[in-house]
Amino acid sequence: YGKTVDNVIRLEVATYDGERFWAGPTSDAEYERILAAGGRRAEIYRQLRNLRDRHAEQIRARFPRIPRRVSGYNLDSLLPENHFDLARALVGSESTLVTVLRAEVRLVDNPRYRAMAVLGYPDIFAAADAVPRVNEHDPLAVEGIDDKLISFEKTKHLNSEALDLLPEGAGWLLVQFVGDSQQQADDRAQALVEELERTEHAPAVKFYDDATHEDEMWDVRESGLGATARVPGLPDTWEGWEDSAVAPDHLGAYLRDLRALMTEFDYQAASLYGHFGDACVHTRIPFDLASAGGVRRYREFVELASDLVLRHHGSFSGEHGDGQSRAELWPKMFGQELVRAFGEFKAIFDPGDRMNPGKLAAPFRLDENLRLGADFAPWDPPTEFGYPDDGASFSRAVLRCVGVGKCRRDSGGVMCPSYRATREEEHSTRGRARLLFEMLRGEVITDGWRSEAVRDSLDLCLACKGCKNDCPVNVDMATYKAEFMSHHYAGRIRPMSHYSMGWIPVWAALASTAPGLVNALTHAPGLSTLVKRLGGIAPERPVPVFAPQRFTDWFADRGPRGTGERGDVVLWPDTFSNNLHPSVGRAAVEVLEAAGFRVRVPPKAVCCGLTWISTGQLGIARRVARHTLAVLRGPLRRGVPMVGLEPSCTAVFRSDLPELMPHDLDVGRLRDQTFTLSELLNDRAADWSPPRIDAPAVVQPHCHQHAVLGMDPDTELMRRFGLEPRLLDAGCCGLAGNFGFERGHFSVSMRSAELGLLPAVRGADRRAFVLADGFSCRTQIEHAGTGRQAVHLAEALALALRGGRPGEHPERLAAQRPAPPQRARWSGDLGGAAIRAGRPDGSTPG
């Protein structure tokens, strides 16, 4: 499709001094009309033409004619043969000249029929050598990836299934063709391969003409930035020479020379990949940017790399622009005359040098103003979590974010629900990571843990943990939020929801002494409103109903049963399954006993500490965990497996607790011996044949299960007893534990649910199970009035054991649940004010 400059028709712009006009191609007649009108615009155009005429020959001589020249101002667009196109001259000027108000752009067809040939070569250099031949066939796209990138993706467990689709080789080209029919697209791909096989560029080949496999292959390529940043066991890599471009017929030679230069500087942990059809090369290089010697070597490398790219008729930047990191090198590429012309160009629009000063024209040095730098010494305070994957450093953990922006997607995966609901950068994972970085740096945000700016940004974080899995560099904002709140509220009064929802295990235990009375009080007109106001609970949200009998009380009366031929298993009585949905625990006992296990339940009250972790009450969470470990010590040290039913609690044992108490051996045992129900049945009862209950199932994965535990064991088990699972890729349910109950969060909570989950549930086949292992997910579905009752996988399995039919399950299971509360008062109003109304104290902005 070309670069942005190739597809811009007109721009409406404003200069710093307030002149506003539309810019585009300018004929001689139009030019005369502009001059006749007089004023600031006429002066701009007159000066631009004079500039162009004085430097036209140098522009023609010094601007490289390659597909991806982005370096420099686009003075070539002002040439007569290019129609004196001011809009295109302004593209890529990086806010140094004008502010763009509106853009008129050219639309291009998005072809329906596509075919992909994946070509494997012995190395990335041989793949690059083949690019000129490939380009002769006019493909839509030619992308290159090397073996280092693939090894990094394997190390980080990215795109595991897609990596198996690659043909043999250590360097690959992904070549996309399009056509008016599938046959035409296939034929074009086949014609390329047949020609290459008769040349020295013969590759190993795999063809794909279905959207699923093509998308998987594109995911491999699009994961490049995330895969090459923060690779375990390797030094951190950085931008700085990340998008150079050369002539396509020089690509192979340039890559060989660039690799040799990297080797000379011992920058081995750098992958080479990119838009090879346009000979634009991406890489992240392990520069040492935190010491004076490392910064000097960074500068030396970039200067030598710039010489190298010019020897291959290239451009310092082929995509991202020069900014500060490469503009200092302009004299090498363009010569002093054009550099002076660039300065004149800047002065015509911004004579006071007030727009983005220090970038492009008259730039800062490339080794100035580094994000790190030789004087980088961020605050690295003592923390509650151990951050074992970040050298026990909160500062290093925050540096994980490299700005990929995958958290800003509108759909797919789990992260970032608050961004999807608000569309605000402040409420994206990336935005929050940046604020935390600024807090630790201490220059912009100077009040450390007490920062209200950071608190307000984190307030709308649902702590869904989606970023821990979906972010290519595994930013774990839920953990960072808990850490921040622990310090922010230390020695201070907390939001009331931290005392109500954060202490729900305690209140639930107290409520179990008289659940009927508690339910009556919390749902009585007037009194319910008072309870919610005192507890910091959203007035629109019904208070959960406590079950008449807790699961643990039921089990104590009943006792263990079954043959126990497969040995003992501890069933974890989480607060939600124990006090609110005990039918889940009873169903799990029924299933485990049928599979041959002897079920045990902890003899004393226990808790994983989830609600204290999610509200940042980490000292209490640690004390709760120590009590739990003491109760479980016997089974843990005998190697007895434990089954968790609530994904968020199970994820605490597998992830949060080991990070909170990284040196406790019993915590390690608990992590290693904790299973989901599906994991245990698949791993230790693989020969068990459960009754079939052939039916479709719409499955909402819990966010913490998606991020920490994985869904593959669940889908495998579902298929074993005849369910046909359709896993929703609908993102977070929006309730997310305490988040959706807190005052000020209701709109974001419901907006998140309406973006995917609730429409999918409403549209589900009436014969289908709606499966949701998370209490939050089931509750959100009930509160939204979908007319469907979501059930836990254990409940579906138990129903199969009883010979039930899927059409019966809502009524049969409903009898074991407390009556659902009234529907949430949700009007569907998603105005910006409603979405942004949340503040920790429940107030709304003025």
Side-chain angles (χ1 to χ4, degrees):
Y1 301 136
K3 304 187 297 294
T4 300
V5 70
D6 301 320
N7 291 292
V8 165
I9 299 172
R10 293 194 306 156
L11 298 176
E12 187 185 21
V13 301
T15 62
Y16 191 93
D17 55 0
E19 187 70 16
R20 177 173 178 166
F21 58 91
W22 280 92
T26 311
S27 66
D28 289 343
E30 175 67 12
Y31 176 73
E32 293 300 331
R33 283 194 294 272
I34 292 171
L35 294 188
R40 174 79 167 111
R41 185 187 184 193
E43 183 61 25
I44 289 172
Y45 274 75
R46 183 182 296 107
Q47 291 178 348
L48 288 175
R49 172 143 329 174
N50 177 268
L51 173 72
R52 177 203 71 184
D53 291 344
R54 286 186 288 111
H55 300 286
E57 293 311 312
Q58 276 292 298
I59 294 170
R60 295 184 179 102
R62 297 301 296 252
F63 274 62
R65 293 178 177 83
I66 58 174
R68 284 294 190 102
R69 193 277 306 159
V70 175
S71 289
Y73 286 127
N74 297 331
L75 298 186
D76 55 331
S77 294
L78 300 178
L79 294 173
E81 58 267 33
N82 294 325
H83 313 293
F84 192 36
D85 193 331
L86 181 53
R88 292 189 175 190
L90 293 171
V91 169
S93 54
E94 303 184 32
S95 297
T96 62
L97 306 179
V98 297
T99 296
V100 177
L101 306 176
R102 289 187 286 178
E104 181 182 331
V105 296
R106 178 175 293 103
L107 301 181
V108 296
D109 289 332
N110 187 20
R112 176 180 177 186
Y113 300 105
R114 299 172 180 245
M116 177 182 288
V118 184
L119 313 180
Y121 289 93
D123 52 42
I124 194 63
F125 314 117
D129 290 338
V131 166
R133 278 295 187 101
V134 173
N135 282 348
E136 291 174 3
H137 288 254
D138 194 25
L140 180 71
V142 183
E143 298 291 306
I145 51 180
D146 71 353
D147 55 339
K148 287 183 181 288
L149 176 59
I150 298 306
S151 71
F152 296 162
E153 295 197 15
K154 289 179 178 178
T155 298
K156 300 178 80 169
H157 307 291
L158 298 173
N159 309 309
S160 300
E161 294 182 5
L163 298 182
D164 294 334
L165 302 177
L166 290 168
E168 291 184 6
W172 295 268
L173 298 178
L174 279 57
V175 188
Q176 183 91 64
F177 288 96
V178 297
D180 295 329
S181 67
Q182 191 60 60
Q183 187 63 52
Q184 185 183 55
D186 291 349
D187 289 347
R188 295 185 64 199
Q190 187 63 47
L192 166 68
V193 173
E194 289 176 355
E195 179 185 312
L196 291 177
E197 287 176 345
R198 298 191 296 268
T199 72
E200 70 275 21
H201 304 301
V205 181
K206 285 194 177 180
F207 278 106
Y208 300 105
D209 63 1
D210 62 291
T212 298
H213 286 111
E214 289 181 11
D215 289 345
E216 288 177 339
M217 294 311 306
W218 283 122
D219 285 343
V220 172
R221 165 59 186 88
E222 291 175 1
S223 298
L225 175 53
T228 55
R230 194 62 77 91
V231 180
L234 294 177
D236 291 347
T237 57
W238 302 96
E239 58 274 20
W241 193 251
E242 78 277 12
D243 68 322
S244 55
V246 297
D249 57 350
H250 283 249
L251 181 59
Y254 171 62
L255 291 184
R256 290 180 177 90
D257 289 346
L258 183 59
R259 174 61 73 198
L261 184 62
M262 290 175 171
T263 301
E264 178 184 338
F265 278 75
D266 198 26
Y267 294 151
Q268 304 287 12
S271 168
L272 298 171
Y273 63 99
H275 313 294
F276 276 24
D278 285 345
C280 180
V281 180
H282 291 314
T283 186
R284 289 180 63 87
I285 299 174
F287 300 122
D288 169 12
L289 298 178
S291 72
V295 173
R296 282 195 300 271
R297 284 182 63 77
Y298 155 65
R299 181 181 184 91
E300 183 183 358
F301 175 88
V302 170
E303 289 180 338
L304 291 173
S306 66
D307 295 337
L308 185 62
V309 80
L310 294 178
R311 287 205 301 271
H312 291 283
H313 310 288
S315 170
F316 306 146
S317 178
E319 183 170 359
H320 300 156
D322 290 318
Q324 179 183 333
S325 64
R326 289 180 290 275
E328 184 190 349
L329 305 170
W330 276 3
K332 290 185 176 186
M333 182 173 174
F334 295 105
Q336 290 296 341
E337 179 182 332
L338 283 187
V339 169
R340 287 192 295 271
F342 290 150
E344 291 182 54
F345 190 55
K346 160 79 166 169
I348 289 171
F349 291 94
D350 180 29
D353 192 25
R354 292 169 293 189
M355 294 197 69
N356 207 8
K359 310 302 191 307
L360 302 188
F364 297 121
R365 297 191 318 272
L366 63 89
D367 51 356
E368 278 186 285
N369 304 317
L370 296 173
R371 186 180 185 188
L372 303 186
D375 59 348
F376 182 62
W379 179 43
D380 205 359
T383 56
E384 298 285 351
F385 286 97
Y387 304 100
D389 296 326
D390 295 290
S393 167
F394 183 64
S395 174
R396 179 166 164 75
V398 168
L399 267 177
R400 278 183 173 271
C401 180
V402 294
V404 174
K406 194 175 180 181
C407 49
R408 290 172 54 91
R409 289 190 175 182
D410 297 328
S411 61
V414 170
M415 73 167 185
C416 176
S418 55
Y419 171 75
R420 293 182 187 182
T422 66
R423 309 288 295 177
E424 294 284 353
E425 173 78 5
E426 175 189 5
H427 300 301
S428 69
T429 304
R430 184 176 70 178
R432 294 180 177 116
R434 183 70 196 194
L435 281 173
L436 287 168
F437 171 82
E438 296 294 354
M439 181 191 82
L440 295 176
R441 191 169 186 118
E443 295 175 354
V444 177
I445 296 175
T446 58
D447 44 357
W449 293 123
R450 298 301 195 191
S451 169
E452 293 186 5
V454 176
R455 180 204 64 189
D456 288 351
S457 176
L458 290 171
D459 178 52
L460 290 190
C461 171
L462 282 76
C464 68
K465 281 192 176 291
C467 49
K468 183 178 177 67
N469 180 80
D470 293 357
C471 172
V473 289
N474 308 115
V475 169
D476 185 359
M477 194 53 63
T479 296
Y480 305 168
K481 176 182 180 178
E483 183 74 62
F484 175 84
M485 288 194 298
S486 174
H487 299 281
H488 183 76
Y489 291 111
R492 306 167 80 184
I493 299 297
R494 288 172 166 270
M496 290 309 300
S497 61
H498 288 199
Y499 302 109
S500 59
M501 304 305 300
W503 285 69
I504 190 66
V506 173
W507 310 136
L510 294 174
S512 68
T513 61
L517 177 61
V518 172
N519 289 336
L521 292 175
T522 56
H523 291 84
L527 191 56
S528 172
T529 301
L530 178 62
V531 167
K532 286 188 276 191
R533 181 179 297 120
L534 292 175
I537 297 171
E540 306 91 342
R541 183 73 67 178
V543 176
V545 177
F546 292 98
Q549 183 185 38
R550 294 198 299 176
F551 163 71
T552 49
D553 295 336
W554 169 85
F555 190 84
D557 293 341
R558 174 189 184 275
R561 297 180 186 177
T563 65
E565 62 198 66
R566 298 187 193 274
D568 286 355
V569 61
V570 175
L571 184 62
W572 178 254
D574 64 86
T575 296
F576 310 102
S577 301
N578 193 26
N579 297 278
L580 299 165
H581 284 180
S583 60
V584 173
R586 296 198 292 267
V589 170
E590 188 175 346
V591 171
L592 288 167
E593 289 179 344
F597 294 96
R598 178 66 57 86
V599 177
R600 307 289 185 182
V601 172
K604 298 180 180 179
V606 288
C607 182
C608 69
L610 168 68
T611 57
W612 285 288
I613 292 173
S614 63
T615 53
Q617 301 178 76
L618 300 181
I620 298 173
R622 194 179 285 107
R623 291 197 293 273
V624 168
R626 290 195 183 106
H627 165 75
T628 294
L629 292 169
V631 174
L632 295 177
R633 186 163 292 126
L636 285 177
R637 296 184 180 182
R638 293 196 306 272
V640 177
M642 189 182 74
V643 172
L645 300 174
E646 173 60 39
S648 54
C649 297
T650 309
V652 168
F653 295 141
R654 294 268 279 268
S655 178
D656 299 88
L657 205 55
E659 294 177 21
L660 191 61
M661 304 169 68
H663 305 300
D664 191 303
L665 295 179
D666 281 330
V667 168
R669 294 182 182 106
L670 181 59
R671 176 196 60 214
D672 297 339
Q673 292 168 218
T674 296
F675 296 83
T676 66
L677 180 64
S678 300
E679 288 173 337
L680 184 83
L681 293 175
N682 289 335
D683 185 53
R684 305 199 180 190
D687 58 341
W688 178 54
S689 299
R692 294 184 64 82
I693 184 168
D694 296 303
V698 174
V699 184
Q700 168 66 1
H702 189 283
C703 294
H704 291 197
Q705 184 151 2
H706 170 85
V708 177
L709 308 170
M711 286 296 296
D712 289 347
D714 289 66
T715 55
E716 179 184 342
L717 183 62
M718 290 178 209
R719 293 189 176 104
R720 281 175 60 186
F721 70 98
L723 277 180
E724 303 165 12
R726 177 169 73 91
L727 266 64
L728 297 179
D729 189 16
C732 181
C733 74
L735 194 59
N738 57 291
F739 177 86
F741 279 98
E742 292 180 343
R743 185 164 66 239
H745 292 170
F746 185 72
S747 290
V748 170
S749 173
M750 296 305 297
R751 172 64 170 166
S752 298
E754 289 289 357
L755 289 173
L757 171 61
L758 297 182
V761 171
R762 294 187 189 107
D765 189 323
R766 299 304 299 183
R767 299 177 301 110
F769 282 86
V770 178
L771 293 182
D773 281 5
F775 171 79
S776 293
C777 307
R778 296 193 300 272
T779 301
Q780 186 79 306
I781 290 168
E782 289 180 0
H783 282 188
T786 61
R788 303 300 298 270
Q789 183 188 39
V791 299
H792 193 285
L793 179 57
E795 294 175 298
L797 280 166
L799 185 63
L801 291 173
R802 302 176 206 136
R805 298 174 179 272
E808 300 171 354
H809 79 273
E811 293 75 18
R812 294 186 63 173
L813 293 172
Q816 303 181 49
R817 293 253 187 99
Q822 69 271 25
R823 178 180 174 178
R825 299 201 305 275
W826 168 238
S827 67
D829 177 17
L830 298 175
I835 288 174
R836 301 187 186 96
R839 289 291 184 271
D841 61 358
S843 65
T844 56

